[in-house]
Amino acid sequence: MTTVPDGFYRIVARQGGNVLSSRNTNGADGLTVETSPSAGLSGQEWYVHALGSGHYSLRMRNPDGSLGGTLAGVGGSPRGSKRVALSGPTGGASQQWFIVPQPDGFC
């Protein structure tokens, strides 16, 4: 299993090259996360932290460099479609992500 070192990353979509973004950099709970063109904004930088057992948490970078909201799957069923939004860090299952490397360098 490949381990991703803790640190700040831009999460880039394979198709189109847009990055995972939060339009509002206050990291408010429930704020929907989307993809948008890279503009070098703090709301497009994510702190990836290894939790163990292949799970990671992703937290948005605030403009002052502090950590903001945690990326979470909200609504829907555990195996169905969910909306991705920010929430306060709880360590819950909805805030734990796998990062799976692909042969072309994407995860």
Side-chain angles (χ1 to χ4, degrees):
M1 178 179 291
T2 301
T3 302
V4 176
D6 286 7
F8 285 99
Y9 295 86
R10 289 191 188 283
I11 311 298
V12 181
R14 178 184 304 202
Q15 185 172 355
N18 285 344
V19 297
L20 194 64
S21 302
S22 168
R23 285 188 184 187
N24 185 338
T25 57
N26 69 6
D29 280 3
L31 186 67
T32 298
V33 175
E34 60 192 14
T35 61
S36 62
S38 181
L41 303 173
S42 60
Q44 297 179 329
E45 295 179 3
W46 300 87
Y47 187 77
V48 175
H49 173 67
L51 300 171
S53 300
H55 293 92
Y56 293 86
S57 68
L58 289 85
R59 292 187 66 188
M60 186 191 78
R61 180 188 292 224
N62 287 325
D64 65 3
S66 66
L67 295 178
T70 302
L71 192 65
V74 295
S77 67
R79 299 221 181 260
S81 297
K82 291 184 178 242
R83 183 172 63 91
V84 179
L86 295 177
S87 66
T90 65
S94 68
Q95 296 181 347
Q96 296 179 22
W97 301 87
F98 285 110
I99 298 175
V100 182
Q102 301 297 304
D104 61 1
F106 281 85
C107 292

